[in-house]
Amino acid sequence: MEKGVKIEHHNVLGLSSIYDETTFGDVDATGSCNSKKTISDRKKYTVYYACYVAEKDSRPYYYYNGSWTKENPTAKLPNGKENSKYIIKSGNNGYNYYIAEKVNIQYYVLSMGDLTLESGTGKRNFWTYLKDTLYNMYKDS
């Protein structure tokens, strides 16, 4: 297991011993209640996805399918197409859809360092940083 990620603890995602107010980036996703389909409370409150970045420019870790990994399930494939194995954008409504559980998910940004969620901010945009900057830094390792 990589340094910093401890999954042996009995907390929701295994981060209680390393997460504090200095954590650079943390995004969690649960089942979305903003869906045309009715979903159970269990699905609404289950964490299906998380991304954890301890310090700026450190390796991101991703939680999905019940475990932590270095593989970003939302990254584009080398041919530029969407990775359709885990999480996809669902149609024109823009929902993020978690394939394994057949559920739309809702992202919650808990920490984003000195970045912003405003669109049009380029490399200062948190989503661009996660999906492009960090992905390109660690895609070959």
Side-chain angles (χ1 to χ4, degrees):
M1 182 52 55
E2 294 290 327
K3 181 181 176 190
V5 177
K6 299 179 181 181
I7 60 172
E8 69 271 14
H9 296 287
H10 298 284
N11 60 57
V12 176
L13 297 176
L15 293 173
S16 69
S17 65
I18 59 171
Y19 187 89
D20 62 27
E21 63 277 353
T22 64
T23 297
F24 182 80
D26 183 14
V27 177
D28 297 342
T30 64
S32 175
C33 56
N34 187 16
S35 175
K36 292 182 180 178
K37 297 178 187 176
T38 302
I39 65 172
S40 68
D41 283 346
R42 183 191 68 77
K43 286 191 173 187
K44 285 180 191 174
Y45 299 108
T46 297
V47 177
Y48 292 107
Y49 165 88
C51 176
Y52 172 79
V53 181
E55 299 172 348
K56 189 165 187 173
D57 296 340
S58 65
R59 172 177 286 288
Y61 291 92
Y62 305 93
Y63 174 87
Y64 57 97
N65 289 346
S67 62
W68 286 96
T69 181
K70 296 182 214 174
E71 182 183 351
N72 183 351
T74 63
K76 299 271 186 205
L77 297 172
N79 62 8
K81 294 190 176 185
E82 199 162 356
N83 182 349
S84 60
K85 293 191 321 188
Y86 305 109
I87 298 171
I88 60 171
K89 285 282 190 188
S90 177
N92 294 330
N93 63 14
Y95 285 114
N96 291 289
Y97 185 75
Y98 183 60
I99 295 170
E101 289 288 327
K102 299 180 176 126
V103 65
N104 291 327
I105 58 173
Q106 172 73 42
Y107 290 107
Y108 296 92
V109 177
L110 305 178
S111 176
M112 63 181 177
D114 60 349
L115 301 175
T116 180
L117 293 174
E118 295 176 33
S119 61
T121 52
K123 291 185 179 191
R124 290 218 3 93
N125 179 276
F126 183 67
W127 298 113
T128 301
Y129 175 77
L130 286 180
K131 290 178 121 181
D132 296 338
T133 305
L134 287 180
Y135 173 75
N136 289 325
M137 287 174 71
Y138 294 101
K139 68 181 175 185
D140 297 324
S141 60

